[in-house]
Amino acid sequence: MQIASASEPATAMKDDNGTPGWDAISQALCAAHPGQVPRHFGTALPWTLGGKDPLDGVSVYWSGQGRPHWHYVSYGLSELFDKESDDAEVSGFGFELTFRLAAAEGSTEADAPPTWPMSLLQNLARYVFQTGNVLEAGHHLDANGPIAAGHATALRHLAFVDDPQLPSRETPNGRLQFLQAVGLTDGEHGAILAWSTAGVLKALEPTMPLWITDLDRACALSDADVAARIAAGTQAQGAATGLLLVEMLEWQDAGDPGATTLVLGAGQVERLRELLEVRLGAGLPLEIVGPQKRWMFEPGERDRVQGDDLQRICVLSPGTCARLQQALRPVAGVARISGVLSIDIRRSCLRDSEGKPLRFIG
């Protein structure tokens, strides 16, 4: 990315037909950070011209609210210029990403903001552009490693919440929401699987104002009050996390009538095993969403798979669900689970927050 002038407010580069979407984002930020001129980091080669960065840019603001931090906001997941999509009610994907990073002790507004969060936002946007999967408040992702490449941090997951200072708004190109990414530890992500994203983030809020991400913090569950709030919510409400986003999801019709082979990446199966236990074990469904397809697991008395090429429902009896969980190990191979279902686990590549390969699994 290239840095635009820090002496001028963030403005769009295209002005032949106006910039209503871009202006709507800037207006929202002016209200949240009155009188402040942001640092804007623009993309040198746009995605539409063959570049690797889907976002047109990221603006960064200094904030003393909650605790001193940097507030990053993307430009490019919504329609910044002309209205091009057929959905008049939604601007582009319908959201822009934000991220709040705790400032290092002694930092001031005059300092340069860290640049790694921009790579993180670009990588998240790349996932959306490549898969078409729209991120929403309540979603969560495994970053497959530290959320900040090259930093020693316990934060290895991301959850998404509506930005607490940027309410959704109507623009000339349609509705726009601001979705904030929040860095979480393994323990906190495990709590989300057992309960819900909204519940866990609400429990963290007293110790994490505005859900500001602090790379140096320990797991919040080490705080007795936080752990008690999460335990109480989990016991009262149970597992509400019913969606798993994956990078590999395919299926093939097997030789036997009604039989299907489900194809997943090895890096995804352990998380799936955990969710199957908490969801189907409680009599609740679990939906898996891939780049182009959706697969729904549901508990039942008799095994069956039904659906079309884009979406299928798989009903599992308790015994078959148990056999599937035993087969879900991060090792490449094919296993027959029942007369209607086989599982094909394939080698997968884990990537860091910048999209660079970390290691292969399976």
Side-chain angles (χ1 to χ4, degrees):
M1 301 184 74
Q2 62 183 7
I3 303 177
S5 171
S7 62
E8 297 292 338
T11 55
M13 300 301 177
K14 178 180 177 181
D15 57 11
D16 53 345
N17 291 313
T19 58
W22 190 294
D23 295 342
I25 300 172
S26 297
Q27 290 165 7
L29 291 167
C30 285
H33 304 286
Q36 186 174 158
V37 176
R39 292 174 171 86
H40 188 75
F41 294 75
T43 301
L45 184 61
W47 180 274
T48 54
L49 297 179
K52 66 176 184 178
D53 293 331
L55 297 176
D56 286 52
V58 176
S59 281
V60 189
Y61 291 78
W62 171 265
S63 177
Q65 299 187 54
R67 60 178 293 187
H69 69 277
W70 301 102
H71 191 196
Y72 299 75
V73 183
S74 74
Y75 284 74
L77 285 159
S78 61
E79 290 169 291
L80 303 177
F81 310 110
D82 303 330
K83 179 65 181 176
E84 296 181 353
S85 69
D86 295 332
D87 190 343
E89 296 185 358
V90 178
S91 178
F93 289 105
F95 69 97
E96 293 291 349
L97 290 165
T98 77
F99 184 73
R100 297 175 187 269
L101 177 66
E105 187 173 354
S107 295
T108 69
E109 183 178 353
D111 294 326
T115 57
W116 68 262
M118 301 169 205
S119 296
L120 175 65
L121 295 182
Q122 286 283 10
N123 200 40
L124 290 171
R126 194 172 297 114
Y127 165 80
V128 174
F129 270 67
Q130 290 175 342
T131 67
N133 291 337
V134 175
L135 297 173
E136 299 177 5
H139 285 180
H140 52 89
L141 292 172
D142 187 340
N144 300 321
I147 64 169
H151 290 71
T153 178
L155 308 183
R156 303 171 61 88
H157 306 267
L158 293 168
F160 298 90
V161 64
D162 290 324
D163 190 296
Q165 292 183 316
L166 297 175
S168 62
R169 59 196 292 127
E170 294 297 327
T171 78
N173 289 335
R175 186 174 62 255
L176 170 63
Q177 294 178 297
F178 294 92
L179 194 62
Q180 180 174 324
V182 183
L184 298 177
T185 66
D186 288 339
E188 293 153 4
H189 189 245
I192 283 177
L193 297 180
W195 184 15
S196 71
T197 301
V200 170
L201 289 180
K202 186 67 175 178
L204 296 178
E205 191 174 14
T207 58
M208 194 186 298
L210 299 178
W211 294 297
I212 297 168
T213 294
D214 182 353
L215 290 180
D216 297 326
R217 73 174 180 85
C219 180
L221 273 68
S222 61
D223 183 304
D225 291 337
V226 172
R229 287 194 293 270
I230 291 176
T234 303
Q235 184 175 7
Q237 299 178 8
T241 300
L243 182 71
L244 179 64
L245 303 176
V246 299
E247 295 182 1
M248 182 184 297
L249 175 63
E250 297 287 343
W251 54 78
Q252 303 163 353
D253 292 325
D256 298 333
T260 303
T261 299
L262 177 62
V263 181
L264 294 168
Q268 306 157 356
V269 296
E270 290 187 318
R271 193 67 62 201
L272 173 58
R273 185 178 69 247
E274 295 173 357
L275 281 174
L276 281 172
E277 181 176 357
V278 298
R279 292 291 294 182
L280 271 67
L284 300 170
L286 172 64
E287 184 176 17
I288 308 175
V289 177
Q292 285 87 33
K293 300 184 177 184
R294 292 173 177 259
W295 179 281
M296 177 78 78
F297 282 113
E298 293 183 355
E301 297 298 322
R302 189 163 61 93
D303 301 337
R304 69 177 186 274
V305 178
Q306 61 189 46
D308 53 30
D309 290 340
L310 296 178
Q311 183 167 338
R312 293 204 177 178
I313 297 175
C314 177
V315 178
L316 299 179
S317 65
T320 301
C321 186
R323 288 193 294 275
L324 175 59
Q325 291 178 59
Q326 292 176 355
L328 290 173
R329 297 291 183 267
V331 179
V334 179
R336 186 177 179 88
I337 308 302
S338 73
V340 301
L341 180 67
S342 295
I343 185 80
D344 182 355
I345 300 174
R346 298 184 180 178
R347 192 184 191 208
S348 59
C349 177
L350 296 186
R351 301 178 183 274
D352 63 20
S353 59
E354 297 181 351
K356 299 177 182 178
L358 283 172
R359 65 184 187 278
F360 288 92
I361 294 181

